[in-house]
Amino acid sequence: MLAERVVRSTCPFCGVGCQVDLHVREDLIYRVSAPYDAAPNYGMLCVKGRFGTDFTSHPSRLTSPLIRVNTSEPRSAPPVWRQATWDEALDLVADRLTAIVRESGGDAIAAFACAKATNEDNYLLQKLVRAVLGTNNVDHCSRLCHAGSVAGLQLAIGSSAMSNSIAEMEHLDTFIVTGSNTTETHPVISNFLKRAVRQHGARLIVVDPRKIEMTDFATLWLRQRPGTDVAVWQAMAHVVVKERLYNERFIQDRTEGFSDYIESLEAFTPEWAEGVSGVPAEDIRQAARMYATATAASVYWGMGISQSSHGTDNTLAITNLALMCGQLGREGTGLNPLRGQNNVQGCSDSGGLPYVFTAYQRVDDPAIRSRFAQAWKRPDLNPTPGLMITELADAVLAGAVRAFFVMGEDPLTSEPNLNHARHAFEKLDFLVCQDIFLNTTAELADVVLPSVSFAEKDGTFTNSDRRIQRVRTALPAVGQSRADWVIVGDLARRLEARLGQSPSAGFDYQHPSEIWDEMRLLTPDFGGIDYERLEREGGVHWPCPTTDHPGSPYLFKEDFPRGRGKFWKLEYGTESELPDETYPLILSTGRVLYHWHGGTLSRRSKLDEIWPEATVEVHPDDAEGLGVHTGDWVSVSSRRGSITLRVMVTGRSPQGTVFIPFHFAEAAANILTLDRLDLRAKIPDFKVCAVRLEKSAPPADHDPAADQPLTQRGAIKDQAVLVH
Ligand code: SF4
């Protein structure tokens, strides 16, 4: 089949940001290939990028605005919708939000920005929230994935993005992967890391409770008990100090607080850490020596580090070790939180956070605020940081927040302790959801606004290594759906008119490049990047302050954004909910290769046929004790709720720990998870809570004809990462 057009764009799934060529015929993407000459993936794609974009033509795409008809019934009642025109829907949203602003102030409204949408979409949403509604209540799912990394890195060095580029990975000397099931969550990055080991002799240390595929490539695997990361990393630092393996020059020239920190390490012996974590003391010593003495060593981590009630401490422990060993500021070194969704880095960079404008410029800094106030013609921008996503449920129940505007997210799948979150959503006075599909959250909405997919719009995404890349229109919009930036701009103009705000903050744009140009003028880190340059170069790493700056594949050559890197003294303790007699197992949640996030996209794709239902990984010893086998149904219960799903018996998780992917609304893992938060990052503990398993009948709505042996899925999985 010959394509009518082939359009270069960026994969809509994970933060690797693979470049894709979309082959289109009759307004359908029938094939996706990867350019061999384009960073960051150089011809590679995983199964999601290669075969998962068929969600764009799924029949359940939203095609027109919907207005809820049965508003006299409780919000929990099954929704009855009527199709509406854009004018009807946006007027209704503008009227209701205006009334709430007048009655309760802008702080009574909160917006969810979207890590799947473009930088331009998110910039405009936070501009609407700040300049029109007058609140800083805008946040996004980064709160639920890497907030622990962001808080820790900001405290220690003043910057929270990956410090080094994907291009460096293949030529690493020594590296640590921790809390990241890289082959499933960032498959193409995992290929570069595996090549570093197999083709270039790099040494890999894995620190992870699960026997993930990366352990097959590891020189050393430290299998800590879930939630004991601080003990292991602090013990490694203890070894570095005792054996005087630290980098005195780097510590003297680039850091502060080392002598205090050394004293605090005294009690963190490897033997003590072995008792806490189960990792043999000698392995901790060996790992510390390998990392400290390497010519260049780097650390890559995922949500196993950040999604914890002590996620900030986990990150600080890693950062302390890197500072001590001087493994920063050079190629092949660095601190690298692997960002999850396609544009979660960009959503944060674009101001989709409650305490900062673009590129982490604080809203409570008068000089910065004044620059934005001038550009947006709003002298009274709110200086108080807004609420974080994980604070919103309680704020609604306390009556402080009355309305949510949710752009492209499904918080009623992704929030912890979902029964509590749902209770809060049901209490809202007004809920708007903007998405390409109806999802669990949208089922409760008053108004649903249909937006377009990545393949139907222009804009930019920023991948995990800070590379800004183009997204290009390959397909026409479905039905009446519109780009997020178009919807947000239209709504903003209607709100400004109702609120009597004149002159306008500026929401008339003909093309997203105009939004980007406004954004870069307000953001020194993006100053040298425009659409023309992206067209020419394919992508540019920020910071890039001027048009003649080459971009920054790696950071901190001379200094850190906070000046000197700061050592943070840490104590070991846990706020996690630990197993007991009633709930004897630890639950850890995460992703599988074939699905993405809340499943909104991947479950409307052929990918869902490969992995069509939720499973709970159970260790063989635990399975024997419970009398269950692969394919049996079990109910998994915590103090917060219960779900029913199938068992997969495997030694991947350690004995005493079960693992459930969070993509499946019908067996939502987050009904079980705990909403206890890390005090600084406000991120929940998705990796450790206490549960029990009991053999169960299938759910009432289960169709036996749809059964597929799990063993078959395993066979498919082994072939799924396509490497050239
Ligand atoms: Fe897409 Fe990530 Fe797979 Fe690349 S590795 S194809 S960006 S899902």
Side-chain angles (χ1 to χ4, degrees):
M1 191 189 285
L2 280 181
E4 289 162 359
R5 55 188 178 276
V6 178
V7 179
R8 176 74 49 88
S9 195
T10 303
C11 175
F13 290 105
C14 90
V16 180
C18 291
Q19 292 300 282
V20 289
D21 281 339
L22 305 174
H23 300 244
V24 179
R25 194 173 173 87
E26 294 176 5
D27 293 337
L28 195 81
I29 299 170
Y30 72 90
R31 177 174 175 237
V32 178
S33 60
Y36 286 87
D37 58 351
N41 48 316
Y42 293 103
M44 286 188 281
L45 291 175
C46 80
V47 65
K48 289 187 286 288
R50 183 84 68 184
F51 301 116
T53 57
D54 54 335
F55 70 82
T56 52
S57 53
H58 194 274
S60 64
R61 283 286 302 272
L62 288 166
T63 57
S64 72
L66 300 174
I67 292 178
R68 190 185 189 92
V69 177
N70 56 332
T71 47
S72 56
E73 293 185 67
R75 198 176 287 286
S76 54
V80 181
W81 309 103
R82 73 171 174 84
Q83 292 192 330
T85 65
W86 275 107
D87 278 341
E88 280 179 293
L90 289 176
D91 279 342
L92 175 60
V93 175
D95 286 344
R96 294 293 302 274
L97 294 184
T98 300
I100 291 173
V101 171
R102 290 213 173 106
E103 290 159 17
S104 309
D107 285 337
I109 301 169
F112 291 62
C114 177
K116 295 193 281 290
T118 62
N119 292 321
E120 293 77 4
D121 295 330
N122 284 299
Y123 171 82
L124 215 56
L125 180 67
Q126 61 90 38
K127 180 175 174 180
L128 179 154
V129 169
R130 295 189 155 109
V132 181
L133 300 178
T135 177
N136 287 305
N137 287 345
V138 57
D139 201 2
H140 70 287
C141 63
S142 167
R143 185 73 39 219
L144 305 172
C145 60
H146 263 301
S149 312
V150 171
L153 288 169
Q154 287 287 347
L155 287 169
I157 56 178
S159 168
S160 49
M162 267 177 74
S163 63
N164 291 59
S165 68
I166 293 169
E168 290 162 57
M169 291 177 178
E170 196 169 341
H171 302 287
L172 293 171
D173 174 82
T174 298
F175 63 106
I176 301 178
V177 172
T178 182
S180 160
N181 183 7
T182 327
T183 46
E184 302 211 35
T185 58
H186 299 81
V188 166
I189 279 184
S190 81
N191 286 338
F192 288 119
L193 296 176
K194 288 187 276 191
R195 275 188 198 170
V197 173
R198 288 282 157 88
Q199 295 178 13
H200 303 286
R203 296 177 304 171
L204 163 62
I205 303 163
V206 172
V207 185
D208 203 294
R210 292 178 76 215
K211 190 179 184 321
I212 53 172
E213 191 183 330
M214 291 306 287
T215 61
D216 294 342
F217 296 78
T219 304
L220 193 58
W221 173 27
L222 311 188
R223 190 176 205 179
Q224 82 279 34
R225 293 189 186 106
T228 62
D229 308 78
V230 168
V232 174
W233 289 88
Q234 287 279 94
M236 284 167 66
H238 176 104
V239 173
V240 170
V241 169
K242 288 293 170 196
E243 300 188 8
R244 298 189 70 81
L245 301 174
Y246 48 85
N247 184 330
E248 281 184 277
R249 181 76 187 268
F250 189 93
I251 291 166
Q252 190 179 330
D253 292 351
R254 306 275 311 261
T255 71
E256 64 188 44
F258 184 57
S259 34
D260 281 355
Y261 178 58
I262 287 186
E263 281 175 28
S264 75
L265 278 176
E266 201 54 41
F268 290 90
T269 65
E271 283 68 24
W272 168 83
E274 177 174 342
V276 171
S277 69
V279 178
E282 203 41 49
D283 287 356
I284 293 174
R285 287 197 171 86
Q286 203 185 332
R289 289 170 194 145
M290 280 169 65
Y291 178 79
T293 60
T295 318
S298 50
V299 187
Y300 300 89
W301 72 87
M303 294 188 289
I305 289 298
S306 61
Q307 282 183 334
S308 161
S309 51
H310 39 91
T312 306
D313 282 358
N314 290 346
T315 305
L316 287 170
I318 294 171
T319 309
N320 285 337
L321 186 71
L323 288 171
M324 175 187 287
C325 299
Q327 297 289 17
L328 281 161
R330 291 172 287 126
E331 277 190 38
T333 63
L335 292 164
N336 295 289
L338 299 170
R339 305 308 300 261
Q341 295 211 69
N342 58 323
N343 198 35
V344 70
Q345 180 66 53
C347 188
S348 303
D349 299 346
S350 306
L353 294 170
Y355 49 91
V356 286
F357 298 107
T358 51
Y360 315 96
Q361 303 178 86
R362 290 198 64 95
V363 297
D364 51 9
D365 181 318
I368 291 169
R369 203 168 57 252
S370 141
R371 237 173 344 102
F372 280 84
Q374 205 176 354
W376 294 347
K377 304 180 192 72
R378 287 285 179 277
D380 51 351
L381 287 179
N382 190 333
T384 309
L387 292 169
M388 300 183 180
I389 277 182
T390 43
E391 297 173 315
L392 288 177
D394 287 341
V396 171
L397 294 173
V401 171
R402 297 175 51 196
F404 285 168
F405 187 100
V406 182
M407 183 172 87
E409 294 288 324
D410 185 11
L412 288 184
T413 300
S414 55
E415 287 282 304
N417 192 1
L418 278 178
N419 288 333
H420 176 68
R422 172 172 277 273
H423 180 55
F425 272 71
E426 287 173 1
K427 296 280 180 221
L428 284 168
D429 286 342
F430 193 58
L431 173 62
V432 186
C433 289
Q434 179 167 308
D435 211 310
I436 69 171
F437 294 110
L438 278 179
N439 56 33
T440 312
T441 309
E443 296 283 335
L444 300 188
D446 294 282
V447 180
V448 179
L449 304 174
S451 57
V452 301
S453 78
F454 85 107
E456 295 138 39
K457 66 181 169 187
D458 282 274
T460 57
F461 290 159
T462 307
N463 78 346
S464 188
D465 74 349
R466 297 169 282 102
R467 187 178 159 92
I468 298 168
Q469 309 183 114
R470 278 297 311 276
V471 177
R472 296 183 181 86
T473 302
L475 301 174
V478 175
Q480 298 176 45
S481 59
R482 293 179 177 176
D484 293 280
W485 65 270
V486 174
I487 304 170
V488 171
D490 193 339
L491 175 62
R493 289 191 296 272
R494 289 170 202 253
L495 281 164
E496 284 183 323
R498 283 162 175 75
L499 290 164
Q501 294 174 343
S502 178
S504 168
F507 289 96
D508 275 320
Y509 305 93
Q510 300 307 309
H511 190 268
S513 60
E514 297 168 12
I515 304 175
W516 176 264
D517 283 340
E518 176 179 317
M519 191 169 156
R520 77 189 182 96
L521 288 176
L522 286 163
T523 315
D525 281 346
F526 306 154
I529 305 170
D530 60 21
Y531 271 44
E532 206 180 304
R533 183 167 177 187
L534 292 177
E535 216 55 52
R536 220 172 38 244
E537 298 181 23
V540 182
H541 293 92
W542 70 262
C544 178
T546 55
T547 47
D548 57 355
H549 189 286
S552 309
Y554 73 91
L555 303 176
F556 318 137
K557 189 173 179 184
E558 309 291 341
D559 53 19
F560 298 110
R562 78 175 294 281
R564 286 177 170 265
K566 181 175 175 177
F567 287 96
W568 285 79
K569 291 190 277 186
L570 300 172
E571 289 176 5
Y572 181 74
T574 183
E575 295 292 317
S576 300
E577 182 188 59
L578 297 176
D580 56 21
E581 267 186 21
T582 318
Y583 298 98
L585 297 166
I586 291 175
L587 166 68
S588 204
T589 66
R591 295 184 166 118
V592 298
L593 175 66
Y594 301 98
H595 285 293
W596 197 247
H597 213 55
T600 306
L601 308 184
S602 58
R603 299 210 65 203
R604 267 98 171 192
S605 147
K606 287 284 180 194
L607 296 169
D608 199 49
E609 292 179 12
I610 307 174
W611 199 289
E613 63 188 15
T615 50
V616 52
E617 276 185 10
V618 182
H619 188 274
D621 294 348
D622 295 324
E624 193 180 336
L626 291 159
V628 295
H629 303 90
T630 293
D632 286 349
W633 291 91
V634 287
S635 72
V636 185
S637 308
S638 74
R639 289 182 177 82
R640 294 152 293 281
S642 185
I643 59 176
T644 301
L645 69 176
R646 272 190 216 268
V647 168
M648 180 189 286
V649 178
T650 163
R652 294 223 300 179
S653 291
Q655 198 262 328
T657 296
V658 299
F659 174 86
I660 301 179
F662 55 69
H663 316 291
F664 301 89
E666 66 276 22
N670 284 321
I671 285 177
L672 308 170
T673 52
L674 183 65
D675 48 2
R676 190 174 294 162
L677 303 179
D678 177 297
L679 290 180
R680 286 175 287 202
K682 309 284 185 191
I683 189 169
D685 208 337
F686 286 128
K687 297 299 182 196
V688 178
C689 75
V691 295
R692 74 164 174 266
L693 261 66
E694 289 151 306
K695 206 164 176 175
S696 155
D701 58 356
H702 174 67
D703 173 10
D707 282 1
Q708 180 190 13
L710 289 171
T711 43
Q712 246 180 42
R713 288 177 218 162
I716 296 167
K717 175 180 177 297
D718 290 342
Q719 302 162 15
V721 180
L722 304 177
V723 189
H724 297 274

